[in-house]
Amino acid sequence: MAQDEHQFVLKSGHAIPAVGLGTWRAGSDTAHSVQTAIIEAGYRHVDTAAQYGVEQEVGKGLKAAIEAGINRKDLFVTSKIWCTNLAPEKVRPALKNTLKDLQLDYIDLYLIHWPFQLKDGAHQPPEAGEVLEFDMEGVWRGMERLVTDGLVKDIGICNFSVTKLNRLLRSANIPPAVCQVVVSHSILYYKMFSSKMEMEMHPGWKNDKIFEACKNQGIHVTAYSPLGSSEKNLAHDPVVEKIANKLNKTSGQVLIKWALQRGTSVIPKSTKDERIKENIQVFGWEIPEEDFQVLCSIKDEVRTEKRVLTGEELFVNKTHGPYKSASELWDNED
């Protein structure tokens, strides 16, 4: 844990709030949720992405919070560049569009959403020729210039394999400050209608490989989906419920606290006011070490034929590739 339990300090010296509001699939409630989180619940971190389609609504919520007296300097705003903009010449225009939608002059953290470049209008999964050669080094140079020019305070990554992380580190002048891990190799139920955009990290899917790689490089990890995924709602896990009852906390609070004590910031998503407020009530208490270890010992989920690795439905085309399997997509690290 960071010395101040409310935040973690990045390699750049900037602080990232320990708990933020996720906005994936937040829909028409987004502006209200952002206002509630910041003004009523005390959040200071809001996480979004161009691909979520809600940045304008996030911007409305941020504007309302600032007009209500919240200092912009006290807020931490994260967004992500989508795959169709992963070309060196597209980085700045993509960020400019995000700033316009968010009604901000700068953002605190800008992440590469997925390390694959897609052709404009690409299908999911992409058809032949729709996955382009990703100039990772060139894109990262463009990201670094955003920092130099004061448009972004920190830059980072999402959904990187250890192999891709190591490749990036070999050429980066500014190393990634954050790796957002929502399911580096997370699993999704095959009947889900929409693709989850990140890698999960929770007691049922710990993502130790990328977590340890980032830790060794001094890269802070943000855990997306700390409460579990759609098919594995850990809030109803009997082990979690038992510990929650013992501590007189909700299961959700215990799961978020587990992630914080592990050393990761978290961005739980909710559009319900009461849940938004509940999710940040995780300070001023600890999970006892014996209970923390019990949570750590929850067995990682077992993949079945009804489950797929995260990213498969986005990028894997088993007929003509270039990624014909989830293993290829994740550099055979699964």
Side-chain angles (χ1 to χ4, degrees):
M1 289 288 290
Q3 186 172 2
D4 178 355
E5 65 173 347
H6 292 84
Q7 63 183 24
F8 292 90
V9 179
L10 306 178
K11 291 181 71 172
S12 63
H14 299 135
I16 183 172
V19 179
L21 177 73
T23 60
W24 177 69
R25 297 184 70 184
S28 60
D29 293 326
T30 302
H32 172 78
S33 296
V34 171
Q35 291 180 58
T36 298
I38 297 173
I39 298 173
E40 299 183 28
Y43 286 70
R44 292 297 179 264
H45 181 191
V46 177
D47 177 276
T48 191
Q51 186 65 9
Y52 296 170
V54 297
E55 286 192 326
Q56 289 186 356
E57 292 300 308
V58 171
K60 292 177 183 177
L62 292 171
K63 181 180 179 181
I66 292 171
E67 289 178 345
I70 303 299
N71 193 320
R72 167 65 183 98
K73 293 182 179 180
D74 293 332
L75 296 175
F76 191 101
V77 180
T78 297
S79 189
K80 311 174 189 76
I81 184 171
W82 184 241
C83 302
T84 51
N85 287 317
L86 287 183
E89 71 277 7
K90 291 185 176 183
V91 172
R92 184 175 295 261
L95 186 273
K96 287 286 191 178
N97 285 334
T98 281
L99 291 177
K100 179 180 177 181
D101 287 342
L102 295 176
Q103 303 184 56
L104 298 175
D105 296 324
Y106 71 93
I107 60 172
D108 300 88
L109 180 62
Y110 201 37
L111 307 175
I112 293 178
H113 206 153
W114 282 90
F116 310 103
Q117 185 183 357
L118 295 179
K119 186 177 180 180
D120 288 338
H123 297 80
Q124 291 184 4
E127 300 294 329
E130 292 182 343
V131 178
L132 307 177
E133 185 69 26
F134 176 33
D135 180 2
M136 182 187 295
E137 292 76 13
V139 167
W140 194 253
R141 292 287 175 269
M143 300 276 282
E144 290 175 332
R145 284 192 287 272
L146 298 178
V147 176
T148 302
D149 293 343
L151 297 173
V152 173
K153 286 193 172 182
D154 283 294
I155 50 178
I157 57 178
C158 296
N159 304 307
F160 267 53
S161 65
V162 175
T163 298
K164 289 183 175 67
L165 171 61
N166 288 336
R167 173 186 164 185
L168 176 61
L169 290 173
R170 285 194 292 270
S171 64
N173 294 315
I174 301 176
V178 172
C179 176
Q180 190 174 117
V181 179
V182 186
V183 238
S184 172
H185 299 14
S186 96
I187 42 189
L188 301 175
Y189 196 58
Y190 79 118
K191 287 185 178 179
M192 286 183 68
F193 295 106
S194 298
S195 304
K196 182 168 285 188
M197 295 298 181
E198 329 292 348
M199 306 190 286
E200 295 176 29
M201 182 175 280
H202 49 72
W205 195 263
K206 301 178 187 68
N207 263 306
D208 287 328
K209 190 175 293 185
I210 190 69
F211 178 73
E212 290 301 324
C214 288
K215 184 178 178 181
N216 290 337
Q217 294 293 335
I219 300 170
H220 176 72
V221 173
T222 294
Y224 186 94
S225 194
L227 307 183
S229 50
S230 298
E231 77 288 349
K232 179 65 174 179
N233 187 341
L234 286 174
H236 301 301
D237 185 281
V239 173
V240 177
E241 288 183 331
K242 181 178 180 180
I243 293 174
N245 290 333
K246 174 183 174 181
L247 299 177
N248 195 29
K249 304 294 180 183
T250 67
S251 294
Q253 288 170 335
V254 166
L255 291 167
I256 291 170
K257 191 66 177 184
W258 175 86
L260 298 182
Q261 287 186 213
R262 195 181 185 211
T264 65
S265 55
V266 294
I267 45 172
K269 172 256 175 181
S270 181
T271 57
K272 297 180 179 179
D273 289 2
E274 64 275 14
R275 187 62 57 80
I276 289 172
K277 295 174 183 178
E278 173 189 298
N279 285 342
I280 202 169
Q281 300 302 312
V282 290
F283 303 112
W285 58 277
E286 296 283 331
I287 299 173
E289 180 62 22
E290 59 180 357
D291 294 322
F292 178 81
Q293 292 303 326
V294 169
L295 292 171
C296 289
S297 69
I298 293 178
K299 188 176 181 180
D300 277 0
E301 301 201 42
V302 178
R303 302 180 189 122
T304 71
E305 69 281 358
K306 293 184 179 180
R307 302 174 187 269
V308 295
L309 292 174
T310 291
E312 183 169 349
E313 67 277 43
L314 287 174
F315 301 105
V316 172
N317 189 315
K318 297 180 180 179
T319 303
H320 47 255
Y323 304 103
K324 294 185 178 180
S325 70
S327 292
E328 289 182 9
L329 184 72
W330 289 104
D331 299 314
N332 298 304
E333 292 177 11
D334 59 299

